[in-house]
Structures are given as C-alpha cells and as structure tokens.
Amino acid sequence: MNDIDAWVWWLVGAAALGIPLVVTAMPEFGMLAVGAIAAAAAAGVGLGAVSQVLVFVVVSVALIAVVRPIANRHRSQRPQLATGIDALRGKQAVVLERVDGSGGRIKLAGEVWSARALDGDQSYEPGQQVDVVDIEGATAIVM
C-alpha cells in the first residue's frame, strides 16, 4: 500500500464521497469530494500529510459555509417565471357567456375557459373584462 501516492488515495476518497452524493442527493458530500480533490492537488505538489488534511478541511468547510446558504436561498425562492395555472392568476379575460356564481364562459389567454364568479351574487355580461383570481380544476374564478 505504500507504493501508491497520497494523491491517489485522495482521489479514491473523492470518488467514495461521490457515491453518497448521488444516492442521497445531499450536496454536502459533493463539497467534501471537492475538498478531497483539493487535498489530492496538494499531495501532487508535494505538501505533507498535515498540510493535505488542512487543505481538505479548509476547502470543505469553506464550500459548505459559502455554497450551502446560497443553495438554500435559491431553493426557497419562487420561480421568476410563472408557468401553468400560476401564470393565469391575475390575468384579464373577456366574458363570452354570462358568468355568475353557477358558471359561464370566458376567453383567457386565447382559450375558452369555464368560469364562475368569486362572489356568487355577482354576474358579468358578455364583452366585460374580468380578472382571474384563481383556477380550480378547469374553472377560472373571476371578479
């Protein structure tokens, strides 16, 4: 075992850390793997064992301390571009058939939708502009 250089062991360690990264999808394992690659580079340039371990620890901790909060912030943000029914909320539509609490038809984003008034006592006549408040199934809730 002494015939194998230290940098090879660090690369083996990086590959071993890549396995739980793929299996568990925990990015911290990837950051530790990058630390192991940095330690392999340190071993490749001839630094001693203590220096290699320090490089591994410093790079790994720095990545976890910097990248993890950024990743968490991006994960908690809503997408910038709304798609699907989220994109239809707040849009204006034109009433095609009288819309009241029991139903009707509107033209929304170039398509004909069934619609119902948010306030059951309110009604909208053909040609009126309405705002889409929500989508429930295939029915637009308008006001």
Side-chain angles (χ1 to χ4, degrees):
M1 285 214 195
N2 291 336
D3 294 340
I4 299 177
D5 291 333
W7 65 271
V8 175
W9 286 113
W10 282 110
L11 291 180
V12 169
L17 287 166
I19 294 169
L21 168 66
V22 172
V23 173
T24 64
M26 290 180 59
E28 291 82 2
F29 285 111
M31 296 173 208
L32 292 172
V34 171
I37 292 171
V45 297
L47 295 180
V50 173
S51 298
Q52 295 169 30
V53 172
L54 282 175
V55 166
F56 170 74
V57 170
V58 168
V59 169
S60 298
V61 170
L63 283 173
I64 290 172
V66 173
V67 174
R68 192 172 182 200
I70 294 170
N72 285 338
R73 188 174 35 232
H74 283 282
R75 186 176 37 197
S76 66
Q77 287 179 346
R78 294 198 61 180
Q80 297 288 338
L81 178 63
T83 59
I85 62 171
D86 291 330
L88 298 176
R89 289 186 184 106
K91 295 281 186 185
Q92 285 197 332
V94 177
V95 176
L96 298 176
E97 295 175 13
R98 185 171 196 255
V99 175
D100 55 23
S102 61
R105 297 258 182 234
I106 61 171
K107 187 163 193 168
L108 172 62
E111 297 178 348
V112 177
W113 281 72
S114 61
R116 162 170 71 76
L118 179 64
D119 180 4
D121 297 331
Q122 185 73 22
S123 65
Y124 304 98
E125 298 303 322
Q128 272 188 288
Q129 294 274 336
V130 291
D131 292 320
V132 176
V133 177
D134 198 9
I135 305 287
E136 291 180 359
T139 303
I141 310 302
V142 299
M143 63 180 248

